[in-house]
Amino acid sequence: MNAEAWQIVWFTAWVSILSTIVILPFGLAVAWLLARFEWPGKSLVETFVSLPLVMPPVATGLVLLQMFGRRGFIGGFLHKHFDLDVVFTWRGVLVALGVMSFPLLVRSARVAFEGVNPRLEQIARTLGAGNFRVFCTITLPLASRGIVGGILLAFARALGEFGATIMVAGNIPGKTTTLSLAIFQSVQLGQDPQAYRLLAVSVVLAFAAVWCSEWLLRGKKH
């Protein structure tokens, strides 16, 4: 592959990693709340979190476009007060990838938290440990395999995102072009060899992430 293709691969990889890092604390917080507590409207929160999994990605992208555009309440605030634009920049790619991969992280982390025996947490509290210490020393380590598996799934999902990304960030060469967008563009231009080379890289990255995730989850069951 040429230098431009490798630049696309590098951009896709690092923005996928960054998006996963950004959503990690929020995903863990939501997963922990869903796994450990009951409250009115919990089912609504569960449904809202899962929406990106079932909505058409372009529909999710359209919602994000309205929110983060200069006339949107978030995008307008950022542009006015910080002179930051999100739409049609790498930040738009970051937002799209994070939103689309968030449900997978939450689902995996929630299952991992639900698999931790609450009695162990209660014993730690009776010995004087506070809630934060219990979470960091008991809950998080015991759920770590499932959480890491969820992180890898979220990363894999980010690698392959297309619909929301093209709505929010477009396909600007050298700025917002990801692997999936580059594959689509190569096919549209009749550059099939280039498309297949990018496809091979995409498959290798996604396969590695999903395989590691499944390996971790299998290890947790044993």
Side-chain angles (χ1 to χ4, degrees):
M1 295 193 300
N2 55 29
E4 180 182 359
W6 282 115
Q7 187 275 330
I8 293 171
V9 173
W10 168 247
F11 173 74
T12 304
W14 79 257
V15 78
S16 297
I17 293 172
L18 183 58
S19 72
T20 306
I21 293 173
V22 169
I23 67 173
L24 181 58
F26 304 101
L28 292 181
V30 171
W32 183 71
L33 290 173
L34 293 176
R36 284 288 185 259
F37 300 97
E38 295 290 337
W39 71 86
K42 178 180 176 180
S43 61
L44 292 178
V45 174
E46 293 171 331
T47 303
F48 181 77
V49 169
S50 300
L51 272 180
L53 291 177
V54 295
M55 286 179 59
V58 291
T60 303
L62 181 59
V63 173
L64 295 176
L65 185 62
Q66 293 299 317
M67 292 173 59
F68 288 92
R70 287 188 178 183
R71 296 183 180 179
F73 66 95
I74 298 178
F77 176 83
L78 293 174
H79 179 74
K80 180 179 179 180
H81 296 281
F82 301 99
D83 196 29
L84 287 177
D85 288 322
V86 175
V87 173
F88 302 123
T89 68
W90 68 269
R91 300 180 192 92
V93 179
L94 184 71
V95 169
L97 301 190
V99 169
M100 296 303 296
S101 58
F102 187 76
L104 291 176
L105 174 61
V106 172
R107 279 173 170 261
S108 296
R110 179 183 179 179
V111 172
F113 286 139
E114 289 175 342
V116 176
N117 191 341
R119 288 195 60 190
L120 298 176
E121 299 171 330
Q122 294 171 1
I123 291 172
R125 291 190 184 96
T126 60
L127 294 175
N131 289 332
F132 182 73
R133 184 177 180 183
V134 170
F135 179 79
C136 292
T137 60
I138 303 295
T139 311
L140 201 58
L142 291 177
S144 60
R145 294 180 72 93
I147 291 172
V148 174
I151 290 172
L152 292 171
L153 281 179
F155 170 71
R157 178 65 183 89
L159 284 174
E161 167 50 32
F162 177 83
T165 304
I166 201 168
M167 290 293 292
V168 179
N171 186 16
I172 305 173
K175 292 186 178 181
T176 65
T177 300
T178 61
L179 265 172
S180 56
L181 296 178
I183 292 171
F184 177 78
Q185 180 179 334
S186 297
V187 172
Q188 290 293 100
L189 296 177
Q191 300 172 348
D192 289 354
Q194 175 76 343
Y196 287 122
R197 284 192 289 267
L198 293 172
L199 172 63
V201 174
S202 180
V203 169
V204 169
L205 291 175
F207 181 89
V210 174
W211 186 87
C212 289
S213 175
E214 292 296 325
W215 177 78
L216 285 169
L217 294 176
R218 284 199 306 271
K220 179 186 176 184
K221 293 178 181 178
H222 297 303

